[in-house]
Amino acid sequence: KAGVTQTPRYLIKTRGQQVTLSCSPISGHRSVSWYQQTPGQGLQFLFEYFSETQRNKGNFPGRFSGRQFSNSRSEMNVSTLELGDSALYLCASSPGRGTQYFGPGTRLLVL
Amino acid sequence: DQQVKQNSPSLSVQEGRISILNCDYTNSMFDYFLWYKKYPAEGPTFLISISSIKDKNEDGRFTVFLNKSAKHLSLHIVPSQPGDSAVYFCAASASTGAGSYQLTFGKGTKLSVIP
């Protein structure tokens, strides 16, 4: 099976702009989670989607949002970008509980 | 409040010897634990997991031990190989209701295996 794919792999934006990241899960996986990785904070949970519904949300401001489509593909959006949003954004898919399989990530740099 | 802690930011081990990576947790609701390996600029790769009903799980060179009373788990790699050099993350999950299983990660331990 193909693994989790994320596009784009690298992105440069300026403060105040918005960005949309895309994730295609492993075929058959219905759960998609998003994480932010920064050097200081490690991997932090953003949100999880299952069957097009947000099932769980981490402690991030409302500027971070997401959605999931009927084919399980997911997007996350960050509006009004801040310098501190520079990070590696990781998507993970899961067939059910526990084990999540990660994509390669999207490296976002905000200038 | 950090619910999953990896207190050693780095570890160096000779090739062929055992690597032991440690992880402590505080949330007694965690019932599933995982280890991931991560190279720079890549996503984490799943290594091994253990349910709270077990105290040991083995997969080839990797063994995870869980001590529930101490809220401690460890990953043993035997024998260590240079290709094992990476950052290792411990993660834990607990059901948050409606079937959702959010992962909480430690901050990672950088393992260097010296040839």
Side-chain angles (χ1 to χ4, degrees):
Chain A
K1 278 187 181 178
V4 178
T5 58
Q6 291 186 246
T7 56
R9 292 293 312 276
Y10 303 94
L11 207 47
I12 300 174
K13 293 285 188 178
T14 55
R15 277 182 301 174
Q17 286 188 310
Q18 75 159 15
V19 66
T20 299
L21 311 181
S22 181
C23 170
S24 292
I26 292 170
S27 177
H29 288 190
R30 294 168 64 190
S31 168
V32 173
S33 297
W34 288 89
Y35 294 83
Q36 180 196 65
Q37 185 187 19
T38 56
Q41 297 298 320
L43 277 116
Q44 291 193 293
F45 173 75
L46 281 156
F47 29 66
E48 184 216 0
Y49 286 86
F50 183 87
S51 293
E52 302 179 64
T53 301
Q54 187 181 89
R55 255 194 331 193
N56 198 7
K57 190 177 191 311
N59 190 24
F60 277 82
R63 299 185 297 107
F64 292 81
S65 63
R67 60 178 176 167
Q68 187 180 32
F69 302 94
S70 58
N71 61 359
S72 293
R73 190 177 70 85
S74 177
E75 288 181 347
M76 70 162 278
N77 184 277
V78 188
S79 61
T80 320
L81 283 165
E82 300 176 0
L83 296 179
D85 296 333
S86 295
L88 180 67
Y89 290 88
L90 292 158
C91 166
S93 76
S94 171
R97 84 139 310 166
T99 304
Q100 296 182 12
Y101 298 90
F102 285 82
T106 294
R107 172 73 63 184
L108 172 64
L109 177 61
V110 182
L111 301 174
Chain B
D1 175 36
Q2 216 180 325
Q3 298 186 60
V4 177
K5 295 181 184 179
Q6 294 177 256
N7 291 318
S8 299
S10 61
L11 175 69
S12 288
V13 171
Q14 279 303 126
E15 181 179 2
R17 306 294 290 269
I18 184 171
S19 294
I20 300 176
L21 297 100
N22 293 303
C23 178
D24 296 298
Y25 63 96
T26 57
N27 188 343
S28 56
M29 298 300 291
F30 287 147
D31 62 356
Y32 194 70
F33 304 89
L34 309 92
W35 284 94
Y36 287 87
K37 171 181 177 180
K38 188 179 185 298
Y39 295 114
E42 293 183 13
T45 301
F46 169 70
L47 276 176
I48 192 167
S49 62
I50 187 167
S51 164
S52 60
I53 62 173
K54 294 186 174 182
D55 54 18
K56 178 183 173 182
N57 189 25
E58 266 183 280
D59 185 2
R61 296 186 298 116
F62 302 93
T63 302
V64 57
F65 295 92
L66 175 62
N67 182 334
K68 287 190 296 290
S69 60
K71 292 191 175 70
H72 176 84
L73 66 155
S74 60
L75 174 69
H76 292 210
I77 306 173
V78 184
S80 301
Q81 300 173 353
D84 295 329
S85 297
V87 177
Y88 288 78
F89 289 95
C90 168
S93 76
S95 173
T96 59
S100 177
Y101 299 98
Q102 166 186 341
L103 286 180
T104 302
F105 283 84
K107 294 201 173 182
T109 296
K110 183 176 182 181
L111 173 66
S112 300
V113 180
I114 304 159

